[in-house]
Amino acid sequence: MESPDFSPSRRRLLQSGGALAASLACARAFPAWARSGTAGAGTGETLSGDRIGLTIADSHFSTGGRSAHAVTVNGTLPAPLIRLREGRNVRIAVTNRLKEQSSIHWHGLLVPFQMDGVPGVSFPGIDPGETFIYEFPVTHAGTYWYHSHSGMQEAIGLYGPIVIDPAGADPVAYDREHILVLSDWSPIHPHEQLRKLKLMGGYFNYRKQTLAGLLAGRDQSLKERLEWGAMRMDATDISDVTGAAYSFLVNGHGTAENWTGLFAPGERVRLRIINAAAMTNFNFRIPGLAMIVVAADGLEVKPVEIDELQIAIAETYDVIVRPQAADAYGVIAEALDRSGLVRATLAPRLGMAGPVPPLRERPLLTMRDMGMDMSPAGGEHDHAGHGAQASATASQGHSMTMRDPSVAPQVKLGPGVASLSPMPADRLGDRPTGLEQAGHRVLTYADLQSLRPNPDPRPPSRTIDVHLTANMERYMWSIDGETLSDGARPIPFRLNERVRVNLINHTMMPHPIHLHGHFFELVHGAPGHRPRKHTVNVLPGGRVSFDLTADGEGDWAFHCHMLLHMHAGMMRIVTVRRPAGDA
Amino acid sequence: MRLAALLAVAMLSAPAMAQEMDGRMDHGAHGDHGAQGGQAMPDMPAMEDEAGGDPHQGHDAHGAPAAALPLPVPDHSAHRAPQILPATPDLPGDALPPPIPEDHAADRYFPRERMERTRAALRGEGRFATASVMIDELEYRPRGGKDGYAWDGRFWYGGDIDRLALSTEGEGRFGAAPESAELRAVWRHALDPWFNLELGVRHDFRPDPERSYAVIGIEGLAPYWLEVSGHVFVSDKGDVHLRAEAEYDQRITQRLIFQPRAEIDAALQDVPELGIGAGFESVELGARLRYEFARQFAPYAGIHWERKLGETARLARARGEGASSLAAVVGIRAWF
Ligand SMILES: [Cu+2]
């Protein structure tokens, strides 16, 4: 049953209408899938086949009254959709027309390491005027993305979606699909953002606790404020760069530009959601529509129906929605700290706009986010009311000091490490920051189960701890208290070795930690169908364990995907080598 | 209450168990990619080439069996059940890590010198260095006919750990030479997450006679967000002075900030030519209310009170000066 929208003439009309709307709105080019009024990601031109050409160049971008220099691919922001088929080989020639070095990393794709695109780790980068040819087999299907791994180009536009269609039948049934690339955009160059944050850690935070708030009975009580003040910890330090600097975008469109994806009522619509932001974790929901999560980080999961999910930077989720009514639905991506949101629309025809809900109250951090949750249940409870109780316990002593070196012996305790979580909790089953109290179904990592059996059933032969460390006041970020600039040594793995990695977050911020070249299984529930991911968001004061089969020979980047954190030093190199004597 | 909780646990454990069973069965039945095949759409059109095609439009209605999505999972809005799952049976072993390789895998594919260059660039990325200028106070002090002024500014250049910091402060009355004008240059080194060591020199252009001092001190952020500092100054004449300062930003609203500030000075000996007596010399208290139009630009208004103490006060009175003064101030704070 073809929906009326899919007749060829209608489709052409929609595309030109969308292009017209875009050109009227801001006189800039969008790739077909990102144009407003798109009938679906399958339509229109995409880059596919076995040979693809990409050109990186300087551009200009404006949205919502903000305008600045951008770095784009083939002249568009977001970059073109690359659509490939599992089982093929692809050659992608990338030409750099910038005055500085550039690169493209295929985020989530398992490629030979020398094609992974991280300058200084896997290849030498693409110098100005140079063309680098990436060539690799496409070994797995799903939703991925690509972005620069050079300088701060990722924050100023160099990102785009990748869809790999399965070689065989798709286990997910759907009538239509849309790609939703979420991002953040600021006219303040990321280098300048970093500078401002180094000068003042709370520079972009205009939602701190105030005396007026105290007198009005908002936020923490005086007692809690004093306890947090004694630790020099700010319960409102949720995001470094906020809506004060950022416009939030869906497919390059702000709320006013109202990106619209079409559907026919009753269709099963697959949304491929990609968080390509530099510094923003998003709460994603479509009020009035339940979402069935069918894939996470590209790989299928057993379907789970939810109303909202938090998508960390660099994660991707595929969801199915089934709009029955011929209404406009607002697609809402709300910044984690609720300093802003962007609304896009799913509608049966162009010209409709989904409602924009009001921003919800900004979250406050709790003792659990400091790794100090002493409550007996250790987690399965509401958080908001607990800060006071837990801190009361903490202040009674119990070696709940903020920097007890015995809790993380390998961490180098310098000025860059302000705190160590005394009791980091396993937070895989926790709702993410700010959604603890939401009155509807919220996805947690513990809800995810791989659709296919995990490929490597061996138990890990060893464990390593990786400590995520920071001094948020000085805006220093590190792993184990060290940065690459400090000369931090790589983390070594034997080829095909199976290792359990414990990520322990000693900071008050979530960190989306990304390992290149591998999927890992989050350790939750019985083995067999644990969710496989390439990026995992480690909640503040929390701990995440994953099991890794180190089957990607070579050197790989391993880092926080908050761009400024990575840039400031929250990055390591992982080496995977054949054991000696193993030819 | 407790009954409700028990019921909730019982209700939740059922699906949790079911999921687990499901997991094990899947494992057995679909050792290969059977899971995928079993749930795939049976009549998915095979695609010849993705180049021009739209693989996902125009599916037949029966091409989208609702059965492809088994699911819904119970409502998780109230509680979830991780504690109910059995303790993880797959405990890791205690194998030793391999040695850290000394070579770089990329050097096998790319010219080594080019790789060295980008490796150096990557290492350099995390080395932060910048300059900052802050005009903390630039203010006008109306004082009974003889209006005065004061300034307090800082500059630094450097990275996270080591910085070169210059600062200057002084005050005076219009139509006369400044009463005090000092310039300080220090090497500032981060000692721990919160505090910095400062070592350097200070030169006082005023009062007369000019003096130079060696400076050692600590500055940083104390608990409760107090900005504090303490310095010792040793002059080229051998006299020793101490100064302690503290200030605090009380946010009334997001942009309206009340800032109390205190400074106390002491000397270890009499320095008659500067009008200073041994012991506590003076105390200054200020309170300023600023409005941050932008983070980096804020006008303010407030009061400034200073009082000379002990022998220093006596010396001032002997010169016919008052020992204390109170002034209203207006000024601006700006940085970049
Ligand atoms: Cu981070």
Side-chain angles (χ1 to χ4, degrees):
Chain A
M1 180 184 63
E2 285 225 320
S3 82
D5 286 341
F6 277 169
S7 68
S9 59
R10 170 81 176 136
R11 199 197 314 160
R12 257 199 303 280
L13 192 69
L14 285 169
Q15 275 171 14
S16 55
L20 182 66
S23 65
L24 285 178
C26 22
R28 61 192 145 95
F30 287 103
W33 62 273
R35 268 174 224 151
S36 193
T38 180
T43 55
E45 72 268 25
T46 59
L47 301 178
S48 56
D50 300 337
R51 279 159 191 271
I52 286 172
L54 303 177
T55 302
I56 300 167
D58 287 307
S59 275
H60 206 79
F61 184 79
S62 48
T63 186
R66 291 164 159 160
S67 175
H69 166 245
V71 171
T72 56
V73 173
N74 296 2
T76 68
L77 185 167
L81 166 63
I82 296 180
R83 185 150 204 149
L84 305 172
R85 184 165 291 275
E86 183 185 12
R88 302 275 182 87
N89 290 313
V90 66
R91 270 168 71 90
I92 306 178
V94 179
T95 303
N96 176 15
R97 298 226 181 286
L98 303 175
K99 290 186 190 69
E100 61 183 33
Q101 199 185 68
S102 192
S103 60
I104 286 183
H105 160 63
W106 316 102
H107 187 102
L109 292 188
L110 304 183
V111 301
F113 90 92
Q114 71 274 21
M115 295 292 149
D116 191 52
V118 182
V121 180
S122 42
F123 87 135
I126 311 172
D127 281 336
E130 198 181 42
T131 297
F132 183 85
I133 296 174
Y134 292 88
E135 189 163 17
F136 51 85
V138 179
T139 61
H140 53 107
T143 304
Y144 304 95
W145 61 296
Y146 61 105
H147 60 81
S148 169
H149 229 287
S150 298
M152 302 277 216
Q153 294 159 6
E154 183 187 334
I156 53 178
L158 210 169
Y159 49 82
I162 300 175
V163 173
I164 313 289
D165 291 307
D170 198 322
V172 180
Y174 56 96
D175 303 304
R176 190 197 294 255
E177 65 184 321
H178 290 296
I179 294 166
L180 301 173
V181 174
L182 314 180
S183 64
D184 45 23
W185 166 256
S186 175
I188 305 171
H189 191 279
H191 278 130
E192 183 56 21
Q193 293 170 10
L194 179 64
R195 196 182 92 89
K196 287 183 156 75
L197 288 164
K198 293 266 190 189
L199 267 52
M200 183 183 183
Y203 185 90
F204 296 105
N205 181 2
Y206 280 96
R207 311 169 84 197
K208 294 186 177 180
Q209 300 194 94
T210 63
L211 188 62
L214 180 69
L215 296 177
R218 284 196 302 271
D219 302 334
Q220 289 181 319
S221 67
L222 179 62
K223 179 169 172 292
E224 284 177 278
R225 290 181 193 215
L226 288 171
E227 283 165 2
W228 282 63
M231 293 182 281
R232 292 160 284 201
M233 287 290 173
D234 178 0
T236 73
D237 195 357
I238 311 285
S239 296
D240 300 330
V241 189
T242 69
Y246 276 141
S247 301
F248 302 108
L249 306 177
V250 174
N251 296 342
H253 295 68
T255 296
E257 296 142 16
N258 193 32
W259 182 87
T260 305
L262 302 177
F263 67 86
E267 281 183 322
R268 301 162 61 90
V269 181
R270 179 180 196 158
L271 305 177
R272 299 176 180 269
I273 312 158
I274 299 163
N275 187 348
M279 289 294 287
T280 309
N281 296 312
F282 287 105
N283 297 324
F284 183 92
R285 68 197 202 273
I286 307 175
L289 280 185
M291 299 184 284
I292 300 159
V293 179
V294 292
D297 286 2
L299 303 183
E300 289 100 4
V301 295
K302 294 184 181 172
V304 48
E305 189 173 281
I306 51 143
D307 298 305
E308 182 161 15
L309 60 84
Q310 189 170 93
I311 179 167
I313 297 159
E315 288 186 316
T316 72
Y317 285 100
D318 288 26
V319 304
I320 300 282
V321 294
R322 283 175 288 189
Q324 299 297 327
D327 287 339
Y329 293 90
V331 175
I332 309 301
E334 171 195 63
L336 167 73
D337 71 326
R338 301 193 166 120
S339 58
L341 61 74
V342 54
R343 180 274 328 263
T345 295
L346 287 181
R349 59 180 185 280
L350 196 57
M352 300 173 81
V356 182
L359 285 166
R360 296 173 290 184
E361 204 186 327
R362 63 120 159 73
L364 277 186
L365 299 171
T366 68
M367 288 309 230
R368 190 166 172 80
D369 300 308
M370 237 181 254
M372 281 196 176
D373 195 345
M374 301 282 285
S375 52
E380 299 313 310
H381 51 253
D382 71 22
H383 291 177
H386 269 263
Q389 187 189 317
S391 60
T393 323
S395 56
Q396 283 159 16
H398 273 311
S399 99
M400 292 295 272
T401 69
M402 295 296 294
R403 259 174 127 232
D404 177 356
S406 69
V407 305
Q410 83 216 54
V411 171
K412 217 172 150 181
L413 276 180
V417 182
S419 57
L420 296 173
S421 303
M423 304 187 73
D426 180 345
R427 302 195 68 177
L428 279 175
D430 277 20
R431 287 182 171 209
T433 306
L435 296 176
E436 299 91 345
Q437 303 297 306
H440 52 220
R441 296 164 297 180
V442 172
L443 185 73
T444 73
Y445 284 136
D447 296 329
L448 297 173
Q449 279 197 292
S450 173
L451 185 64
R452 302 170 209 212
N454 295 154
D456 187 348
R458 295 175 296 162
S461 61
R462 63 185 177 100
T463 304
I464 61 172
D465 291 341
V466 174
H467 298 276
L468 311 175
T469 45
N471 179 344
M472 297 170 69
E473 190 60 29
R474 293 188 193 268
Y475 208 73
M476 295 169 70
W477 303 91
S478 55
I479 286 176
D480 292 345
E482 279 188 297
T483 69
L484 284 183
S485 310
D486 298 336
R489 308 272 287 149
I491 301 173
F493 292 95
R494 294 176 191 91
L495 185 62
N496 291 324
E497 169 185 40
R498 188 136 169 100
V499 179
R500 174 155 305 167
V501 178
N502 299 317
L503 296 169
I504 301 150
N505 188 347
H506 296 281
T507 80
M508 296 288 283
M509 258 185 206
H511 299 286
I513 301 295
H514 173 50
L515 174 61
H516 288 226
H518 296 82
F519 285 96
F520 45 74
E521 289 107 53
L522 299 183
V523 179
H524 196 279
H529 285 263
R530 288 171 171 166
R532 305 186 71 211
K533 299 191 91 261
H534 52 59
T535 303
V536 62
N537 199 30
V538 190
L539 293 181
R543 183 163 46 80
V544 159
S545 297
F546 64 71
D547 286 355
L548 168 75
T549 300
D551 53 6
E553 194 172 6
D555 294 351
W556 304 96
F558 179 49
H559 61 91
C560 176
H561 224 284
M562 297 192 113
L563 188 64
L564 301 186
H565 294 184
M566 177 183 83
H567 204 81
M570 205 174 238
M571 173 163 175
R572 269 291 194 289
I573 291 163
V574 161
T575 58
V576 180
R577 302 296 167 86
R578 281 164 207 273
D582 218 24
Chain B
M1 206 57 217
R2 183 187 264 160
L3 183 62
L6 279 172
L7 275 173
V9 167
M11 273 157 46
L12 280 164
S13 50
M17 293 314 219
Q19 275 183 8
E20 232 189 288
M21 294 295 286
D22 190 31
R24 264 185 228 122
M25 276 154 47
D26 258 24
H27 205 318
H30 314 289
D32 52 3
H33 283 204
Q36 180 187 351
Q39 292 188 316
M41 303 185 334
D43 54 351
M44 170 91 168
M47 298 305 299
E48 294 302 323
D49 189 340
E50 59 268 60
D54 167 18
H56 300 298
Q57 63 163 283
H59 294 153
D60 303 342
H62 65 273
L69 290 165
L71 85 158
V73 165
D75 185 327
H76 286 224
S77 57
H79 272 265
R80 66 190 52 73
Q83 323 90 304
I84 299 165
L85 294 169
T88 324
D90 54 336
L91 287 175
D94 54 1
L96 292 172
I100 296 173
E102 297 299 327
D103 63 328
H104 300 282
D107 292 0
R108 278 182 265 144
Y109 296 89
F110 305 102
R112 198 193 146 93
E113 9 12 300
R114 277 199 71 180
M115 283 308 303
E116 270 309 331
R117 222 185 314 137
T118 29
R119 275 194 288 270
L122 180 63
R123 280 194 302 273
E125 253 183 22
R127 281 187 209 112
F128 172 85
T130 194
S132 161
V133 173
M134 170 171 262
I135 300 158
D136 200 20
E137 287 175 3
L138 185 60
E139 68 192 25
Y140 173 65
R141 294 178 175 172
R143 273 197 292 202
K146 278 189 171 173
D147 290 353
Y149 58 86
W151 76 88
D152 184 347
R154 288 168 243 161
F155 164 88
W156 61 255
Y157 172 80
D160 290 326
I161 304 297
D162 291 295
R163 287 174 183 174
L164 168 71
L166 303 176
S167 60
T168 174
E169 59 181 84
E171 59 182 321
R173 295 179 189 210
F174 291 105
E179 288 154 31
S180 70
E182 70 171 62
L183 179 66
R184 226 191 274 179
V186 297
W187 165 63
R188 182 182 293 163
H189 177 76
L191 291 174
D192 78 348
W194 314 110
F195 285 94
N196 304 307
L197 172 72
E198 292 195 333
L199 287 176
V201 292
R202 161 184 152 189
H203 185 79
D204 286 7
F205 295 94
R206 292 278 157 185
D208 228 9
E210 293 190 23
R211 276 283 153 90
S212 293
Y213 302 86
V215 180
I216 179 169
I218 300 277
E219 66 104 44
L221 188 67
Y224 304 101
W225 305 100
L226 282 166
E227 299 259 15
V228 298
S229 66
H231 288 90
V232 180
F233 305 97
V234 182
S235 86
D236 47 3
K237 302 277 185 286
D239 44 308
V240 180
H241 303 256
L242 310 171
R243 183 185 292 171
E245 291 165 278
E247 65 178 58
Y248 180 74
D249 275 359
Q250 173 60 59
R251 208 167 283 99
I252 296 172
T253 69
Q254 294 302 328
R255 290 173 189 273
L256 187 64
I257 294 157
F258 176 68
Q259 186 196 60
R261 176 181 275 198
E263 175 182 327
I264 186 152
D265 284 87
L268 293 195
Q269 66 292 298
D270 290 335
V271 191
E273 62 269 40
L274 296 175
I276 290 170
F280 285 111
E281 285 170 43
S282 66
V283 58
E284 290 181 28
L285 296 176
R288 289 168 180 77
L289 189 64
R290 70 173 188 267
Y291 187 81
E292 289 188 350
F293 282 101
R295 278 272 184 259
Q296 283 149 282
F297 179 80
Y300 63 79
I303 52 164
H304 179 86
W305 176 77
E306 50 181 276
R307 190 182 199 296
K308 295 190 166 65
L309 303 170
E311 177 63 11
T312 308
R314 201 192 58 74
L315 289 170
R317 282 193 208 95
R319 287 197 306 274
E321 293 169 14
S324 79
S325 74
L326 177 67
V329 301
V330 290
I332 56 158
R333 181 179 192 267
W335 57 281
F336 46 89

